[in-house]
């Protein structure tokens, strides 16, 4: 594989599809550098028609940096703890469970924003995908920030927000975390506007994981977060990715939010393997 990538835009909002790349095959440094540059430029990459076992997915993901082992241990792959399994298929019976595997994925969020070092990249491998529903929506938070008026930019400059995984999961209807899990993921604060460490672009850093904005009364905090979330998830900033079996989709959490959509979990099979690359402390 050479330095030139076969890239085509996948939406007017963001993202590019990369053709002719086998992510399970050995990849030299120049080839990986081209992928990394495309990732920084487009914010989201889709690699179609991949065939990856668990080891290959982990190996490719690790090229981008240190991988997270998620605090929610019930979702970890039994042999590859770096892989977070999103599946409505019972391993013992092979039948669908009738339940969406993780309600927390149905709300707008940025992966690991509840950690001091949030996610750089999330990489999803679609093993089984539903015929209808189960899309992943992406919001471009850099474009959303650019479109804010000057008064609102000045208002939010310097503000910090508290990100709390247990708070956000219970708001989404998921059960509370255990005491051990909560101790591993206590609330953390991050700036409401962050600068991308590689491109220098500014973007909103918002997420369903936010419980409140520091220094604001509760009502003002809720109102400001609601205003920013409604703005950032407007149609002009959102791309809806329709999955195909074998797709690998990866995105930059530093300037995006995402969420999954509902599907018929009783009739449709959806099995996704996820890895997350840790990033830097937001500035």
């Amino acid at each position: 594989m050479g330095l030139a990538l076969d890239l085509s835009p996948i939406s007017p909002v963001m993202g590019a599809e990369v053709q002719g790349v086998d992510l399970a095959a050995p990849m030299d440094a120049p080839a990986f550098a081209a992928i990394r540059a495309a990732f920084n430029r487009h914010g989201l990459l889709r690699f179609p028609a991949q065939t990856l076992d668990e080891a290959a997915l982990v190996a490719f993901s690790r090229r981008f940096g240190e991988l997270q082992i998620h605090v929610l241990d019930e979702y970890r792959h039994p042999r590859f703890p770096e892989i977070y399994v999103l599946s409505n298929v019972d391993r013992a019976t092979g039948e669908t469970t009738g339940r969406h595997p993780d309600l927390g994925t149905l709300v707008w969020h940025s992966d690991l924003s509840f950690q001091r070092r949030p996610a750089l990249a999330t990489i999803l491998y679609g093993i089984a995908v539903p015929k209808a529903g189960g899309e992943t929506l992406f919001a471009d938070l850099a474009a959303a920030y650019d479109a804010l008026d000057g008064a609102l930019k000045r208002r939010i400059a310097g503000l910090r927000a508290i990100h709390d995984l247990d708070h956000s999961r219970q708001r989404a209807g998921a059960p509370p975390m255990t005491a051990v899990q909560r101790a591993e993921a206590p609330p953390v604060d991050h700036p409401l506007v962050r600068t991308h460490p590689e491109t220098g672009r500014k973007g909103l850093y918002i997420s369903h994981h936010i419980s409140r904005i520091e220094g604001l009364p509760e009502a003002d905090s809720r109102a400001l977060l609601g205003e920013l979330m409604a703005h950032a998830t407007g149609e002009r900033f959102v791309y809806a990715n329709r999955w195909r079996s074998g797709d690998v989709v990866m995105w930059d959490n530093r300037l995006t939010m995402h969420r999954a959509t509902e599907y018929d979990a009783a009739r449709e099979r959806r099995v996704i393997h996820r890895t997350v690359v840790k990033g830097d402390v937001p500035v």
Side-chain angles (χ1 to χ4, degrees):
M1 186 175 120
L3 288 174
L5 294 177
D6 183 358
L7 294 168
S8 56
I10 55 178
S11 84
V13 178
M14 64 187 303
E17 184 161 277
V18 186
Q19 294 284 351
V21 174
D22 179 0
L23 298 181
M27 185 181 300
D28 61 22
F32 177 74
I35 289 176
R36 184 64 184 260
F39 176 72
N40 284 337
R41 184 165 65 253
H42 295 284
L44 182 150
L45 298 178
R46 184 172 67 198
F47 301 85
Q50 299 296 313
T51 302
L52 294 174
D53 61 19
E54 292 87 349
L57 175 60
V58 170
F60 171 69
S61 304
R62 194 168 278 139
R63 296 289 295 267
F64 290 86
E66 180 186 355
L67 300 186
Q68 180 225 20
I69 296 178
H70 205 285
V71 62
L72 300 177
D73 50 349
E74 63 267 32
Y75 293 100
R76 293 177 196 162
H77 190 284
R79 292 184 295 112
F80 293 86
E82 302 92 342
I83 295 176
Y84 186 96
V85 179
L86 292 161
S87 172
N88 70 327
V89 178
D90 186 278
R91 287 178 184 159
T93 67
E95 301 295 325
T96 57
T97 63
R99 300 185 306 275
H100 194 286
D102 185 353
L103 296 174
T105 65
L106 296 175
V107 295
W108 286 106
H109 64 286
S110 181
D111 283 336
L112 301 197
S113 73
F114 54 85
Q115 298 275 356
R116 182 56 60 194
R117 286 177 59 200
L120 183 159
T122 298
I123 302 169
L124 297 190
Y125 176 40
I127 298 169
V129 300
K131 298 181 182 66
E135 292 90 359
T136 306
L137 308 183
F138 297 93
D140 185 337
L141 297 183
Y145 175 79
D146 290 342
L148 293 176
D149 63 48
L152 188 49
K153 285 181 179 178
R154 289 189 294 273
R155 181 184 172 196
I156 63 177
L159 292 179
R160 300 183 71 84
I162 304 298
H163 296 244
D164 184 340
L165 177 60
D166 193 41
H167 173 86
S168 69
R169 285 180 59 78
Q170 291 189 57
R171 283 174 60 205
M177 293 164 57
T178 67
V180 171
Q181 290 172 338
R182 185 156 180 78
E184 292 180 9
V188 297
D189 64 293
H190 292 304
L192 206 54
V193 178
R194 70 178 295 184
T195 301
H196 193 287
E198 296 180 75
T199 68
R201 286 195 74 186
K202 285 188 174 182
L204 293 172
Y205 194 52
I206 56 176
S207 174
H208 190 266
H209 295 319
I210 293 177
S211 61
R212 61 184 173 84
I213 297 174
E214 286 187 332
L216 294 186
E218 184 177 352
D220 293 346
S221 175
R222 285 199 308 268
L224 179 54
L225 287 171
E227 179 182 0
L228 293 175
M229 188 68 73
H231 169 76
T233 58
E235 185 177 351
R236 59 178 168 155
F237 304 124
V238 172
Y239 159 63
N241 183 72
R242 177 75 195 135
W243 284 89
R244 302 161 300 191
S245 180
D247 279 352
V248 169
V249 177
M250 64 178 298
W251 64 89
D252 193 332
N253 285 280
R254 296 169 293 186
L255 292 178
T256 64
M257 272 194 307
H258 64 281
R259 74 174 183 90
T261 66
E262 292 275 12
Y263 63 99
D264 188 340
R267 297 185 180 184
E268 298 269 19
R269 299 166 68 87
R270 188 173 189 265
V271 180
I272 304 286
H273 282 182
R274 184 186 88 162
T275 56
V276 176
V277 182
K278 292 184 178 182
D280 300 320
V281 177
V283 296

